[in-house]
């Protein structure tokens, strides 16, 4: 008897959590179709590059990665190479003309078609591009079984975006906003809980507007309340929120729902009202500050993180100073900051007064230095305090070290054994760093 050789797939993911989850779904589909995943690209029979297009730099990285794969294809002509995600959606069929060693292009609404496409490529060696936008995105419902005892999982609750912020390419690449039915979301979360998941992160471009596209459906706070009732789930997180849609009901959910973790990622983008207006964000810095004040009044320990773009077209020194002033007022727990980057087709591509690269770099590094002082100050404030930590597994660096997260989404490393994985334990914070905390288990007091 000749044993059939197992085929291996390798997926390289660029970009956001949405993409990470899309890759998980692709793995699930490929494993069902007989592939085994490998972390060693050299062993792969199928390589998929899952891409992000939100900034030009992200896209450049993908082109250079794809370029390197040309040699692999020359050495092994049977190797199948596919591209998925936002850059695939953006370029579509043109990708096949441009990159000759590419076998298929899979758009953001077509993940569910991956097995068929791979089969077609295998059998006929045809080259395929599938980037149709679909009214109902079937991949939203692909259930992924958590791998390697993972205790946290992503759940997509909506896809696409209707906001068309001036700098953002997402609505063009992920399509119009579409919410999933709450019953489907709950089924998926029950399935995950049955497979040992303790923490779910709900994903969407703008989760606060969940339900808007569905008739008679729950809104976001009602959905959260339903998920709070799912047995086995201990923690709920969500991302991303839009400040203009952050309702009082959602703020109250942090008070009333015991499983909802005290962390909100609330991208402000700029502290200057004139920049916010040109970004088409739909709120002012005062509106934002009022939301922060209310969040902190109702939930004093909440961690607030944000995204900021520096050097948006027309951003003056005064505008930038307003962003800095706002950071000093809010004192974010952490933030992601980016230099503005032109993207094809976005509104701000045609704006005048583009900011010089040098000025953008200076502003970015000033802002990041300031944030480092705020992050460290916040983290140091936790030294000596007790935190509830959900243990996610062994630390990367050491076998005797475990790693987990506080409810406010801070990483904690602590001495401990593997048996702690999946347990929520009380931990005393002994040392604070910029990117993590060091803790000690408080024995005999499992939460
Ligand atoms: N240039 C720079 N940053 C951008 N972002 C989105 N589009 C751009 C762009 N064109 C940032 C925003 C967003 C985050 C995901 O990426 O801050 O919140
Ligand atoms: Fe982009 Fe704005 Fe939609 Fe976020 S809300 S995805 S920034 S268009």
């Amino acid at each position: 008897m000749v044993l059939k050789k197992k085929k291996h797939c390798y997926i390289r993911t660029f970009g956001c959590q949405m993409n990470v989850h899309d890759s998980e779904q692709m793995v699930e589909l490929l494993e069902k179709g007989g592939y085994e995943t490998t972390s060693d690209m050299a062993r792969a029979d199928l390589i998929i590059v899952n891409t992000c297009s939100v900034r030009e730099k992200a896209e450049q990285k993908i082109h250079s990665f794809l370029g390197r794969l040309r040699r692999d294809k020359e050495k092994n002509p049977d190797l199948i190479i596919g591209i998925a995600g936002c850059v695939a959606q953006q370029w579509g069929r043109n990708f096949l003309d441009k990159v000759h060693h590419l076998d298929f292009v899979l758009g953001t609404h077509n993940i569910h078609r991956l097995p068929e496409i791979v089969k077609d490529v295998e059998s006929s060696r045809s080259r395929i591009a599938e980037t149709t936008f679909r009214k109902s995105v079937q991949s939203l419902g692909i259930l992924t079984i958590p791998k390697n005892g993972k205790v946290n999982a992503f759940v997509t609750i909506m896809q696409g975006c209707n906001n068309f912020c001036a700098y953002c390419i997402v609505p063009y690449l992920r399509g119009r906003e579409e919410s999933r039915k709450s019953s489907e979301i709950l089924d998926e979360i029950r399935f995950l809980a049955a497979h040992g998941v303790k923490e779910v992160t709900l994903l969407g471009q703008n989760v606060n507007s969940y339900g808007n596209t569905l008739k008679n459906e729950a809104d976001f706070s009602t959905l959260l309340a339903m998920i709070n009732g799912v047995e086995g789930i201990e923690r709920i997180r969500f991302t991303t929120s839009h400040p203009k849609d952050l309702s009082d009901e959602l703020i109250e959910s942090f008070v009333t729902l015991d499983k909802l973790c005290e962390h909100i990622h609330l991208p402000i983008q700029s502290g200057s009202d004139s920049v916010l207006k040109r970004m088409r964000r739909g709120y002012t810095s005062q509106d934002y500050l009022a939301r922060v004040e209310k969040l902190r009044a109702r939930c004093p320990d909440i961690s607030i993180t944000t995204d900021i773009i520096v050097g948006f077209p027309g951003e003056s020194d005064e505008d930038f100073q307003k962003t800095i002033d706002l950071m000093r007022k809010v004192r974010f727990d952490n933030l992601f900051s980016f230099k503005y980057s032109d993207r094809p087709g976005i509104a701000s591509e045609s704006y005048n007064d583009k900011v010089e690269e040098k000025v953008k770099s200076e502003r970015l590094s000033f802002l990041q230095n300031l944030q480092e002082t705020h992050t460290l100050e916040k983290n140091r404030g936790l030294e000596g305090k007790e935190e509830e930590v959900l243990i996610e597994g062994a630390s990367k660096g050491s076998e005797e070290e475990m790693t987990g997260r506080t409810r406010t989404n801070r990483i904690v490393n602590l001495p401990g054994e593997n048996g702690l994985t999946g347990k929520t334990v009380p931990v005393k914070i002994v040392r604070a760093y910029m990117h993590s905390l060091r803790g000690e288990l408080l024995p005999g007091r499992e939460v």
Side-chain angles (χ1 to χ4, degrees):
M1 191 180 76
V2 183
L3 274 179
K4 219 171 146 197
K5 193 178 148 258
K6 216 80 194 157
K7 288 176 294 183
H8 290 94
C9 65
Y10 173 90
I11 303 189
R12 173 66 72 93
T13 310
F14 294 86
C16 63
Q17 288 163 315
M18 203 73 106
N19 263 21
V20 172
H21 187 47
D22 288 350
S23 291
E24 288 169 350
Q25 291 183 319
M26 289 190 234
V27 165
E28 189 72 29
L29 293 173
L30 291 170
E31 287 185 350
K32 278 204 186 101
Y35 273 88
E36 204 169 278
T37 29
T38 174
S39 53
D40 177 8
M41 197 166 79
R43 288 184 68 199
D45 305 282
L46 164 65
I47 297 175
I48 299 177
V49 192
N50 193 10
T51 62
C52 169
S53 177
V54 80
R55 284 169 297 277
E56 198 180 352
K57 216 164 119 195
E59 199 182 324
Q60 279 163 0
K61 270 199 220 155
I62 285 139
H63 290 294
S64 83
F65 182 73
L66 267 180
R68 278 187 271 141
L69 293 181
R70 187 164 55 92
R71 283 242 182 94
D72 300 287
K73 183 82 165 185
E74 279 166 3
K75 270 195 241 147
N76 171 15
D78 289 335
L79 174 68
I80 298 176
I81 303 175
I83 179 147
C86 289
V87 184
Q89 187 66 44
Q90 187 184 325
W91 285 67
R93 182 157 284 281
N94 295 338
F95 236 129
L96 298 179
D97 301 331
K98 195 174 138 67
V99 182
H100 295 286
H101 54 284
L102 202 56
D103 293 289
F104 68 86
V105 179
L106 186 73
T108 52
H109 283 196
N110 293 281
I111 291 173
H112 62 289
R113 294 219 46 225
L114 179 63
E116 267 172 84
I117 289 174
V118 170
K119 231 184 216 152
D120 285 352
V121 175
E122 281 173 341
S123 60
S124 64
R125 299 307 302 185
S126 48
R127 301 175 78 214
I128 300 169
E130 173 57 288
T131 53
T132 321
F133 266 154
R134 297 172 190 278
K135 212 159 177 257
S136 163
V137 180
Q138 286 182 36
S139 58
L140 291 182
I142 300 169
L143 296 180
T144 55
I145 298 172
K147 304 270 176 320
N148 312 320
K150 257 187 95 165
V151 295
N152 41 23
F154 292 125
V155 177
T156 307
I157 63 164
M158 61 202 298
Q159 133 115 25
C161 181
N162 290 346
N163 283 318
F164 290 93
C165 301
Y167 53 79
C168 189
I169 197 167
V170 168
Y172 305 94
L173 303 180
R174 295 240 173 208
R176 292 294 68 71
E177 183 177 305
E178 185 203 343
S179 297
R180 276 176 84 191
K181 278 195 189 145
S182 55
S183 56
E184 279 177 27
I185 297 168
L186 285 164
D187 284 347
E188 178 166 348
I189 294 176
R190 286 190 202 104
F191 166 90
L192 291 168
H195 283 84
V197 165
K198 308 276 190 239
E199 176 182 297
V200 284
T201 301
L202 312 178
L203 295 180
Q205 301 299 339
N206 177 13
V207 291
N208 305 156
S209 63
Y210 171 79
N212 283 0
T213 60
L214 296 169
K215 264 203 192 130
N216 306 323
E217 259 298 331
D219 63 7
F220 187 51
S221 353
T222 319
L223 178 73
L224 286 172
M226 290 169 166
I227 298 171
N228 201 65
V230 175
E231 216 175 297
I233 296 298
E234 292 173 16
R235 287 181 168 192
I236 308 168
R237 302 185 184 281
F238 58 82
T239 195
T240 275
S241 294
H242 197 305
K244 79 176 163 53
D245 299 315
L246 173 58
S247 66
D248 285 349
E249 288 76 27
L250 180 55
I251 295 177
E252 279 314 296
S253 303
F254 285 106
V255 184
T256 54
L257 304 180
D258 58 329
K259 296 179 184 175
L260 186 60
C261 290
E262 293 78 14
H263 169 224
I264 187 162
H265 186 65
L266 197 60
I268 181 155
Q269 312 298 0
S270 167
S272 151
D273 290 342
S274 76
V275 172
L276 286 172
K277 194 154 184 210
R278 279 177 296 118
M279 285 179 165
R280 305 182 181 160
R281 289 290 286 171
Y283 55 84
T284 62
S285 55
Q286 274 315 312
D287 296 333
Y288 188 92
L289 287 170
R291 293 284 80 189
V292 166
E293 206 173 298
K294 182 128 198 196
L295 275 163
R296 288 191 170 144
R298 299 297 297 139
C299 186
D301 291 332
I302 196 161
S303 153
I304 303 178
T305 56
T306 201
D307 289 344
I308 292 179
I309 297 175
V310 299
F312 185 75
E315 185 191 67
S316 63
D317 285 343
E318 290 73 39
D319 289 322
F320 178 64
Q321 187 56 45
K322 285 183 180 149
T323 298
I324 296 298
D325 293 345
L326 184 129
M327 280 174 68
R328 290 202 165 109
K329 266 191 208 140
V330 175
R331 299 188 108 75
F332 290 105
D333 290 76
N334 216 333
L335 61 73
F336 297 102
S337 49
F338 313 97
K339 288 194 265 186
Y340 170 78
S341 137
D342 261 344
R343 306 277 56 222
I346 58 172
S348 53
E349 194 190 10
S350 62
Y351 287 10
N352 295 326
D353 301 330
K354 295 277 159 65
V355 176
E356 261 180 74
E357 210 43 44
K358 184 170 156 276
V359 174
K360 283 197 254 182
S361 300
E362 283 166 7
R363 288 181 186 165
L364 189 72
S365 82
F366 185 88
L367 182 152
Q368 288 178 339
N369 285 337
L370 176 65
Q371 184 54 43
E372 285 190 1
T373 63
H374 292 170
T375 304
L376 205 54
E377 170 192 286
K378 294 262 175 182
N379 287 352
R380 289 215 172 114
L382 295 174
E383 282 179 348
K385 298 240 165 78
E386 185 180 322
E387 289 282 321
E388 247 181 49
V389 175
L390 170 61
I391 306 289
E392 295 175 0
S395 306
K396 278 200 188 106
S398 153
E399 291 274 295
E400 286 107 53
E401 285 264 313
M402 302 302 286
T403 186
R405 272 168 207 269
T406 63
R407 287 177 64 98
T408 54
N409 211 26
R410 290 180 168 90
I411 295 172
V412 183
N413 295 307
L414 64 153
E417 296 160 6
N418 236 322
L420 287 174
T421 302
K423 298 211 162 99
T424 303
V425 289
V427 169
K428 185 174 167 193
I429 304 304
V430 292
R431 193 78 207 264
Y433 304 98
M434 186 70 74
H435 302 293
S436 66
L437 304 170
R438 175 133 206 97
E440 278 168 9
L441 201 62
L442 291 166
R445 305 221 340 255
E446 228 167 74
V447 178

